[in-house]
Amino acid sequence: WSIRSGNMIHTIHFKSEIHSLTVNQQVIVVALKEKIAVFDAITFEINFWISRCYPCSEVQPIGLGCRWLAYSDKGAMQSHLSYGGMCGTGLQSYTATVLNAAESVKKGLSIVGETVGRLTQHNYQYSESTKSRDTDDKAGIVTIVDCIKADGETSLSDSSASRATIAHFTAHTNSPISALAFDRSGSLLVTADVVGKDFHVFEIKPHPWSSSVCQIHHLYVLHRGDTSASIQNLAFSQDCRWLGASTQNGTTHIFPITPYGGPITCRTHLSSKVVNRHSRFHTSAGINHISHKSNGVPALREQDLVPSYQRHSTIPILPTPTSPPPWY
């Protein structure tokens, strides 16, 4: 529809139900149950489509930036995996440990009940819950494509990868993704799984060769709470120093972050502008080097932090993600 004239401009028909609709200045992204269609924002002609999406019962998770499109892939392709990705989930609280133990016991009892039911009724068909458990090992994979370079069928395969594929990495372990969001620049991506307890923030550093050379820095693990929740929306602030997450429980959580990762201090968030990672005073005065020397601890080199078989001359060592608590 035209906002100026109020007339209908164009109509696009689909055979399946539409889950969500996202637009930017260049493309219109329509998310279906197991497919994503991308149309030109001016001509309304289809640019490309993605059929290798992870099947979901609710809204198909997609993240549209200024140029890139992120979606939940069906599984990991080892030959196309990017360097980096999820590094860990941080430490769990005592409440989270108790809840996880209770969930494990409940899952074990449900499996026993299903097995007994199948044996007594001679019914060997798998239930929907069994099917979901069989595909959990393929969940949590994110693929990012370039909307400008993509054309036609844009999906990864064992033999080849699309030239529009930017990154392909693991965002969550054995858990389907429920929400994705880019920041204003398109270099930061936040992901959430269906459990909704933790959010992962990644920095995307693409490479012109292929997705396997792309670097994915896991900057933050943001812990929302110890109970499960369905994530409704994720959003960055314009300066990428705050991240908001809203749930269907009616709660909104605000997390302090920085565009380059690292701990949250008064220096990073009490200034009206984004500050550099390293203070010019500390760098010029050599305070970090002096503190190491005064404590008698030799300064570690980057190549001493990882085994020799993991070292690469052109790829830097990825930092460990930080877990700042929410401020609200």
Side-chain angles (χ1 to χ4, degrees):
W1 293 85
S2 172
I3 299 178
R4 178 178 298 179
S5 63
N7 299 326
M8 185 174 61
I9 303 299
H10 191 75
T11 303
I12 304 175
H13 297 280
F14 296 93
K15 295 182 179 180
S16 58
E17 180 184 357
I18 297 176
H19 279 196
S20 63
L21 181 69
T22 309
V23 299
N24 62 11
Q25 295 182 353
Q26 299 169 339
V27 296
I28 302 172
V29 181
V30 181
L32 309 176
K33 184 176 181 179
E34 295 185 8
K35 185 177 180 180
I36 298 174
V38 180
F39 298 85
D40 188 276
I42 299 177
T43 63
F44 303 108
E45 296 181 356
I46 187 167
N47 287 351
F48 64 96
W49 63 91
I50 302 170
S51 57
R52 194 184 143 82
C53 301
Y54 186 85
C56 61
S57 58
E58 298 180 356
V59 178
Q60 182 69 247
I62 57 174
L64 181 62
C66 55
R67 177 165 177 169
W68 295 345
L69 172 65
Y71 66 95
S72 178
D73 209 314
K74 270 188 177 180
M77 294 287 183
Q78 296 297 328
S79 58
H80 306 306
L81 280 177
S82 303
Y83 178 76
M86 178 181 173
C87 297
T89 57
L91 298 176
Q92 287 187 338
S93 64
Y94 176 76
T95 306
T97 305
V98 173
L99 291 176
N100 290 336
E103 291 177 359
S104 301
V105 172
K106 180 180 179 182
K107 185 181 295 184
L109 293 176
S110 63
I111 294 175
V112 173
E114 292 172 2
T115 305
V116 173
R118 290 198 301 267
L119 292 176
T120 55
Q121 299 177 5
H122 301 283
N123 182 13
Y124 296 96
Q125 295 181 351
Y126 287 99
S127 62
E128 291 298 326
S129 60
T130 307
K131 291 181 180 179
S132 64
R133 285 196 298 270
D134 291 341
T135 57
D136 277 350
D137 57 342
K138 300 180 181 179
I141 307 299
V142 171
T143 300
I144 301 176
V145 296
D146 191 340
C147 295
I148 304 299
K149 295 182 180 180
D151 185 20
E153 171 68 19
T154 305
S155 297
L156 292 174
S157 63
D158 293 327
S159 58
S160 62
S162 171
R163 65 185 183 92
T165 304
I166 300 298
H168 179 67
F169 62 97
T170 301
H172 296 269
T173 305
N174 301 335
S175 181
I177 294 174
S178 63
L180 298 164
F182 279 104
D183 71 323
R184 188 179 182 182
S185 65
S187 61
L188 295 183
L189 177 69
V190 57
T191 64
D193 60 358
V194 295
V195 180
K197 296 180 181 179
D198 298 313
F199 312 119
H200 296 176
V201 180
F202 301 93
E203 182 184 11
I204 315 298
K205 293 191 175 182
H207 196 280
W209 284 358
S210 67
S211 61
S212 60
V213 196
C214 174
Q215 299 177 29
I216 309 297
H217 290 199
H218 193 183
L219 300 182
Y220 292 101
V221 178
L222 308 176
H223 185 64
R224 181 196 61 84
D226 297 329
T227 58
S228 302
S230 179
I231 306 303
Q232 183 147 6
N233 193 20
L234 297 169
F236 289 90
S237 63
Q238 291 190 355
D239 58 2
C240 294
R241 290 196 293 176
W242 302 96
L243 175 65
S246 60
T247 69
Q248 290 187 355
N249 297 339
T251 59
T252 300
H253 306 266
I254 308 297
F255 297 91
I257 62 172
T258 59
Y260 41 76
I264 305 302
T265 62
C266 295
R267 175 177 170 269
T268 59
H269 280 72
L270 291 185
S271 174
S272 60
K273 299 180 180 179
V274 179
V275 297
N276 295 327
R277 177 193 292 267
H278 302 290
S279 170
R280 288 184 297 175
F281 170 75
H282 286 77
T283 303
S284 60
I287 293 179
N288 295 331
H289 178 72
I290 294 175
S291 60
H292 279 288
K293 190 173 181 180
S294 61
N295 295 331
V297 179
L300 292 177
R301 299 174 300 174
E302 287 187 347
Q303 56 267 29
D304 297 332
L305 300 178
V306 295
S308 58
Y309 62 86
Q310 294 182 355
R311 298 171 191 168
H312 196 287
S313 58
T314 59
I315 299 179
I317 297 173
L318 302 183
T320 303
T322 311
S323 300
W327 281 18
Y328 178 75

